[in-house]
C-alpha cells in the first residue's frame, strides 16, 4: 500500500514538473513570420526580390508582441498590439539607417505601416488595413 501511494505521489510530482516549464508559448494564429505579397504599387516580384516580410515571433506580453520587418535594406522594429476585435495598434517603429540603392519600398512601408489599424487572418493570409483603403497583404512563411 505504501509503495502504491509513493508511486502515485512521484507520478504527480513528475507531472507537475513537466507541465510547469518556462517554454515560450506562441499564438500560431498571428505569431509567425509573414511574407509580403501585396502592397501599394509594388509588384509581387519586387516584394519577393526585396524579401519583404514582417516577423511577429518576438517576445509577447498579453496581446502585445515585439516585431521586426525587412523591406530590402534596413532592419525595422516595432511593437504591435493585436486585439480580439480585429484592431491593431503599431507603435515604437524604428529602423537601422543604412543608405541603400533602392529604398522606395522601405520608405513607403515606413510611411504607411504605423497607420494600419485593422487586421484579419484568413487561413494562412494576413491583411493589415487602415481606414483610407490602404492594405498590406502577407502570407505565412511556414505555409507551402
Amino acid at each position: 500500500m505504501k509503495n502504491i501511494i509513493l508511486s502515485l505521489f512521484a507520478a504527480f510530482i513528475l507531472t507537475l514538473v513537466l507541465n510547469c516549464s518556462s517554454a515560450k508559448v506562441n499564438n500560431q494564429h498571428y505569431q509567425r513570420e509573414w511574407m509580403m505579397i501585396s502592397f501599394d504599387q509594388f509588384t509581387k516580384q519586387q516584394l519577393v526580390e526585396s524579401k519583404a516580410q514582417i516577423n511577429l515571433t518576438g517576445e509577447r506580453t498579453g496581446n502585445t508582441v515585439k516585431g521586426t520587418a525587412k523591406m530590402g535594406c534596413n532592419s525595422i522594429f516595432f511593437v504591435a498590439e493585436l486585439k480580439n476585435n480585429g484592431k491593431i495598434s503599431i507603435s515604437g517603429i524604428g529602423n537601422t539607417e543604412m543608405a541603400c540603392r533602392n529604398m522606395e519600398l522601405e520608405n513607403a512601408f515606413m510611411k504607411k505601416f504605423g497607420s494600419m489599424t485593422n487586421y484579419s487572418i484568413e487561413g494562412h493570409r494576413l491583411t493589415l488595413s487602415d481606414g483610407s483603403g490602404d492594405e498590406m497583404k502577407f502570407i505565412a512563411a511556414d505555409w507551402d
Side-chain angles (χ1 to χ4, degrees), residues 100-111:
C100 302
R101 278 194 179 148
N102 184 355
M103 295 184 60
E104 191 177 333
L105 171 60
E106 187 173 316
N107 290 336
F109 177 82
M110 291 293 287
K111 183 177 179 181

Side-chain angles (χ1 to χ4, degrees), residues 37-82:
I37 56 171
S38 175
F39 171 55
D40 218 16
Q41 81 280 5
F42 300 97
T43 67
K44 191 171 183 179
Q45 182 168 341
Q46 288 173 306
L47 297 173
V48 169
E49 287 172 358
S50 296
K51 297 180 182 173
Q53 56 94 14
I54 62 172
N55 184 337
L56 297 176
T57 63
E59 182 182 331
R60 185 179 72 145
T61 305
N63 290 339
T64 303
V65 63
K66 290 182 180 178
T68 59
K70 195 78 169 178
M71 294 294 140
C73 181
N74 288 291
S75 295
I76 301 165
F77 47 89
F78 59 91
V79 175
E81 182 181 7
L82 293 96

Side-chain angles (χ1 to χ4, degrees), residues 5-6 19 40 44-45 58 69 73 75 97 111 121 125 137 143:
I5 292 173
L6 192 56
N19 286 327
D40 218 16
K44 191 171 183 179
Q45 182 168 341
C73 181
S75 295
E97 296 182 359
K111 183 177 179 181
I121 298 175
R125 295 181 182 268
K137 294 185 179 190
W143 182 75

